[in-house]
Amino acid sequence: MKMKTALILAIAALYSQNSYADQSHDATAPDDCCKVTAAAAPLPGKSIYQLGSEWTDDNGRTFELGSLRGKHVLVGMFFTSCQFACPVLVHDMKTFQANLSPAERAKTELVLISFDSARDNVEALHAFRKTNELDEHWHIVRGQSDDVAETAAVLGVRYKQDAKGDFMHSNLITFLNADGVVDVQKSGNQIVRE
């Protein structure tokens, strides 16, 4: 368990190196001012926020990944009925969030994208939020299978549905910088720096 905590802390340290400090803005300006400036700037070519994917969150509202621009974002792909890899993925993301300072936590959002477009309806996603006690910084979303496939491909997540309707998939957490560019990825016990 100590090794897993050390790994999460190492990822947090790597992740925080690319904080708002490497964005060019007046450090004395209010955060809202900086968000407006960041939103007006063009997105980098590798930004996942350029995808035209449409998502629905666990409250039935439309959700766009680009709405998180200006924040640090952790993304994981999962399905609510998973009994093996997904609980570990969610646990690791929750541990990461718990190890952040209150200021860092306020600037970090966590996104879970379901593979299971057929079974993970709004109700299933909302029940998953409650069961796992996920706070308002978590965005649990579903989308059309084409959008799921496109997002998975961009993030390097491999998955395949079996005959029972479950999914075999890679267990990958992706850290996006404030512009939606992949910064760090964690797969199992490995950290991959972009």
Side-chain angles (χ1 to χ4, degrees):
M1 191 63 166
K2 286 183 181 179
M3 182 173 230
K4 186 179 269 189
T5 301
L7 179 63
I8 297 293
L9 293 174
I11 293 170
L14 287 171
Y15 194 55
S16 66
Q17 288 175 357
N18 288 327
S19 66
Y20 291 99
D22 56 5
Q23 295 181 19
S24 54
H25 68 274
D26 179 4
T28 61
D31 281 344
D32 289 341
C33 169
C34 300
K35 288 179 190 170
V36 171
T37 303
L43 287 167
K46 292 185 175 183
S47 175
I48 193 171
Y49 298 157
Q50 294 193 51
L51 297 178
S53 307
E54 293 185 19
W55 307 101
T56 302
D57 71 13
D58 65 302
N59 290 310
R61 295 182 299 233
T62 300
F63 175 78
E64 294 180 16
L65 288 172
S67 69
L68 301 177
R69 189 171 189 192
K71 302 259 186 173
H72 292 280
V73 179
L74 278 71
V75 180
M77 298 189 77
F78 84 120
F79 62 106
T80 62
S81 57
C82 179
Q83 300 298 312
F84 305 106
C86 298
V88 173
L89 176 99
V90 173
H91 176 268
D92 288 353
M93 291 175 72
K94 285 177 76 171
T95 301
F96 176 85
Q97 183 187 36
N99 285 314
L100 295 174
S101 70
E104 291 170 325
R105 197 172 300 127
K107 294 179 183 177
T108 304
E109 302 294 313
L110 301 97
V111 179
L112 289 172
I113 299 172
S114 174
F115 295 114
D116 198 344
S117 301
R119 294 182 296 184
D120 281 347
N121 57 26
V122 170
E123 293 78 17
L125 297 178
H126 196 70
F128 186 86
R129 173 187 295 279
K130 288 187 173 225
T131 300
N132 288 278
E133 300 176 343
L134 305 177
D135 68 23
E136 71 279 359
H137 291 284
W138 289 75
H139 306 274
I140 308 166
V141 301
R142 65 181 306 276
Q144 299 299 315
S145 57
D146 288 348
D147 290 331
V148 172
E150 179 182 44
T151 303
V154 169
L155 295 176
V157 174
R158 297 180 63 170
Y159 69 99
K160 182 177 180 176
Q161 192 168 19
D162 66 20
K164 296 188 311 182
D166 291 334
F167 292 83
M168 296 174 288
H169 59 90
S170 48
N171 209 22
L172 188 66
I173 297 173
T174 302
F175 298 78
L176 303 176
N177 70 16
D179 284 326
V181 176
V182 174
D183 188 24
V184 177
Q185 290 187 306
K186 176 199 174 282
S187 176
N189 290 327
Q190 299 177 343
I191 299 174
V192 181
R193 181 98 171 151
E194 286 292 312

